[in-house]
Amino acid sequence: MGKVASQSIQTTIFSYIGVVIGYFNVLWLYPYALEAAQLGTFRTIQDLGLLFVPFAQLGLGHGITRYFPKLKNGQSAFLSFSLLLAFIGFLIVSSLFYIFREQVVGLFSKNSPEVINYLWIVLMITFLALANSILDAYSRSYLKVAIPAFFREVLLRLLTGLWILSFLGGWINFDQLMAGLILVYGIPLVGMLVYLIWLKVLRLDFNWTSFPEGFRSSFLKFSLITFLATAASTLILKIDSIMVSSMVSLEANAIYTIAFSMALVIEMPRRAISQVVMPVIADHFSKNEISEINTLYKQVSRRQLYICLLLFIGIWVNIDSIYHFIPNREIYESGKWVVLFIGVGKLFDVAFSINGEILVFSNYYRFNLIATVIMSGMIILFNYLLIPIYGIEGAAIASALVMLLFNLVKFFYLKINLKLNPFDLHSLKILGAGLLVLALANFLPVMENPLINMGIRSILIVVLYWMIAWLGFSGEEELEWIRQKIKKPGS
């Protein structure tokens, strides 16, 4: 865990700075500056643009991470080759978008016609995010993940907030706000280019003959096989928001977006660790170190569950106080149960650890493709069945169910084929401690002032969590790990 710890701590810091900015943006600035329909439009266009990225990427992100360690030289040529393939993927996606444009318009024409005016922005976001994802994967292969995380988690949110403030100040109109998303996504891309130049690893090299024999065909085969899995994973994350806009309204998507963003905080440690852990897993597989992968599997599961469970408890116990500070909260607080269902789904995800990453870099990556494609179909089906009945709560329930089923399938597959298992008695103890703290939280005092109420309840929850670990019941190893990383972040 040395390499993982040294980079993940820095990445986690940037991630949580981004969370603070994101919380300000999503929970206060967006609902204050934008009407609900405008907010729904703002988010739907971005979600559509980001939804197309993995389809254009053709699985190259995972392919770069897996095949980079196999190169002794020619890394710059590898980047050039990957960028060219990504551009071809973008041309394919763009062509399909224009061919089926009328069908896309038809999805939103009834319940969310405002989206149609800004569809031209979608592909611009796709292109910029696509280029950034390739450079991010290339940087990650050098185990340089902290600065890319800054661009992705901090700078992007900061620029988005500043652009919304420009609209709030009356300096730009809504059409200009939407068009400005191109600039918002473009600046982090420029930052990545400058960073890679500073690292002296960015150079266009088209001498592809330097690759080992069979390297290109193997890389292409792996990327194309995994691209559907990557695309389906993004579909699972984004389709609920888009279907809420299409089947309900833009206002409903605004409510769903704010609730979903609260729950998203729960998995931030997982996202940070995952960025660092992928090249480590790839390296272990290249050396056939299965026992080391199993150790990593368990460690990541326990540490993620310990931290993320505390975050979930803190958010849910304070949910009413959090909504109190959201402008026009009488509109948005109807998303309260979305937070619960999505939060539970995220806990499923962190508890089952890095099963997806392990599958991607193992010889069983084809199974990950099959499972992910099936699950993406299931999320569409569940949304289609549950949204008309339960509205935005139906979309949240669908997401939670798919996250549970998806992780169960991957868990049993890894257990049977590689004899890997992230769970042990410590996992049950951590879960038990979390449930105990959640139950005790019902007896915590409720203050009239929401800010004081949230502060006191949060402190008491952390104290209870700490006391359980201090008494040796559960989480003592994880607490000691956190303490050591705070003292020595690079260790």
Side-chain angles (χ1 to χ4, degrees):
M1 288 288 288
K3 294 180 181 179
V4 178
S6 62
Q7 282 286 303
S8 64
I9 291 294
Q10 299 172 53
T11 306
T12 301
I13 290 171
F14 286 136
S15 296
Y16 275 98
I17 292 174
V19 166
V20 172
I21 298 171
Y23 252 108
F24 174 77
N25 287 349
V26 175
L27 301 185
W28 188 86
L29 182 58
Y30 292 176
Y32 183 79
L34 302 173
E35 297 176 3
Q38 290 177 324
L39 175 53
T41 302
F42 187 73
R43 291 302 309 168
T44 300
I45 291 298
Q46 292 181 75
D47 285 342
L48 276 172
L50 297 176
L51 178 64
F52 293 149
V53 171
F55 292 94
Q57 195 192 75
L58 302 176
L60 296 171
H62 287 313
I64 291 170
T65 305
R66 181 183 176 97
Y67 282 85
F68 188 89
K70 299 178 184 295
L71 288 174
K72 295 181 179 179
N73 50 56
Q75 285 83 359
S76 296
F78 188 35
L79 174 62
S80 303
F81 185 61
S82 301
L83 287 171
L84 178 62
L85 291 174
F87 183 68
I88 293 171
F90 174 74
L91 291 179
I92 294 171
V93 168
S94 300
S95 300
L96 291 173
F97 182 79
Y98 280 107
I99 290 171
F100 295 102
R101 190 176 188 280
E102 291 302 316
Q103 285 77 9
V104 175
V105 168
L107 290 174
F108 299 99
S109 58
K110 181 179 179 181
N111 296 314
S112 306
E114 298 91 336
V115 170
I116 299 171
N117 298 326
Y118 305 106
L119 287 177
W120 65 275
I121 301 171
V122 169
L123 288 179
M124 295 300 297
I125 293 175
T126 300
F127 177 78
L128 295 169
L130 169 65
N132 212 335
S133 70
I134 297 298
L135 297 180
D136 191 299
Y138 187 64
S139 177
R140 188 168 61 238
S141 297
Y142 284 99
L143 296 181
K144 301 293 184 181
V145 298
I147 298 303
F150 168 79
F151 291 131
R152 184 178 61 251
E153 305 290 351
V154 179
L155 184 60
L156 184 61
R157 289 182 171 97
L158 184 61
L159 290 171
T160 305
L162 291 173
W163 197 235
I164 292 285
L165 285 173
S166 299
F167 173 76
L168 181 61
W171 302 327
I172 56 174
N173 58 37
F174 188 70
D175 289 339
Q176 292 168 329
L177 173 71
M178 295 300 297
L181 284 171
I182 298 170
L183 184 65
V184 167
Y185 281 87
I187 291 176
L189 174 59
V190 173
M192 276 299 300
L193 289 169
V194 172
Y195 176 61
L196 291 175
I197 291 172
W198 179 77
L199 288 176
K200 299 180 180 179
V201 297
L202 182 65
R203 183 170 61 89
L204 292 180
D205 181 0
F206 297 98
N207 182 25
W208 300 334
T209 58
S210 63
F211 296 153
E213 184 178 353
F215 179 85
R216 276 182 289 177
S217 59
S218 181
F219 168 66
L220 280 170
K221 180 182 177 182
F222 175 82
S223 297
L224 290 175
I225 288 175
T226 57
F227 116 82
L228 280 178
T230 306
S233 294
T234 304
L235 188 67
I236 291 171
L237 290 174
K238 298 292 182 184
I239 196 63
D240 49 358
S241 171
I242 295 170
M243 290 185 73
V244 166
S245 290
S246 175
M247 298 177 68
V248 187
S249 67
L250 289 170
E251 290 84 352
N253 189 32
I255 297 168
Y256 187 84
T257 295
I258 287 176
F260 190 92
S261 297
M262 288 188 206
L264 201 61
V265 176
I266 296 166
E267 71 164 1
M268 290 305 295
R270 187 202 192 291
R271 293 174 61 191
I273 292 173
S274 175
Q275 292 298 311
V276 185
V277 114
M278 284 193 287
V280 177
I281 294 171
D283 184 58
H284 282 321
F285 269 120
S286 69
K287 300 173 183 175
N288 198 33
E289 297 173 340
I290 304 301
S291 61
E292 283 79 359
I293 293 173
N294 195 44
T295 299
L296 191 67
Y297 196 20
K298 290 180 182 293
Q299 288 178 338
V300 171
S301 174
R302 292 200 300 262
R303 290 167 183 176
Q304 284 182 165
L305 181 61
Y306 185 76
I307 298 170
C308 296
L309 189 56
L310 177 61
L311 291 173
F312 171 79
I313 295 168
I315 289 172
W316 184 244
V317 168
N318 291 301
I319 190 67
D320 292 324
S321 297
I322 293 171
Y323 269 111
H324 180 86
F325 296 101
I326 298 177
N328 302 311
R329 69 176 185 273
E330 64 278 1
I331 298 174
Y332 296 105
E333 63 187 357
S334 59
K336 171 181 176 178
W337 295 104
V338 171
V339 179
L340 176 64
F341 294 129
I342 295 295
V344 170
K346 295 301 179 185
L347 286 180
F348 291 146
D349 218 23
V350 301
F352 282 95
S353 190
I354 48 175
N355 50 22
E357 289 84 351
I358 292 173
L359 276 171
V360 164
F361 297 112
S362 73
N363 293 327
Y364 301 102
Y365 58 86
R366 292 178 182 83
F367 174 79
N368 192 58
L369 161 66
I370 297 169
T372 310
V373 170
I374 291 173
M375 289 303 162
S376 67
M378 289 182 65
I379 188 66
I380 294 173
L381 176 63
F382 286 175
N383 273 312
Y384 183 77
L385 294 174
L386 295 176
I387 288 177
I389 301 174
Y390 300 109
I392 58 176
E393 287 86 358
I397 293 170
S399 293
L401 284 174
V402 166
M403 279 186 267
L404 174 60
L405 293 173
F406 192 29
N407 280 291
L408 280 172
V409 168
K410 290 187 288 185
F411 164 75
F412 283 113
Y413 193 86
L414 284 174
K415 186 173 178 59
I416 292 169
N417 289 281
L418 289 175
K419 306 298 186 291
L420 302 179
N421 185 358
F423 303 121
D424 54 22
L425 183 59
H426 292 289
S427 305
L428 287 176
K429 286 183 176 181
I430 291 170
L431 184 60
L435 292 174
L436 177 61
V437 171
L438 188 59
L440 292 174
N442 292 321
F443 300 98
L444 295 178
V446 178
M447 306 296 173
E448 191 170 329
N449 185 299
L451 184 60
I452 295 175
N453 182 62
M454 187 162 56
I456 291 177
R457 290 167 73 86
S458 298
I459 292 170
L460 291 175
I461 288 168
V462 172
V463 170
L464 284 172
Y465 215 64
W466 174 81
M467 284 183 64
I468 291 172
W470 181 71
L471 292 172
F473 174 75
S474 168
E476 59 272 19
E477 292 181 12
E478 288 67 37
L479 185 62
E480 180 60 26
W481 176 76
I482 294 171
R483 186 182 295 116
Q484 290 299 321
K485 297 314 163 191
I486 292 174
K487 289 180 180 178
K488 298 179 181 180
S491 62

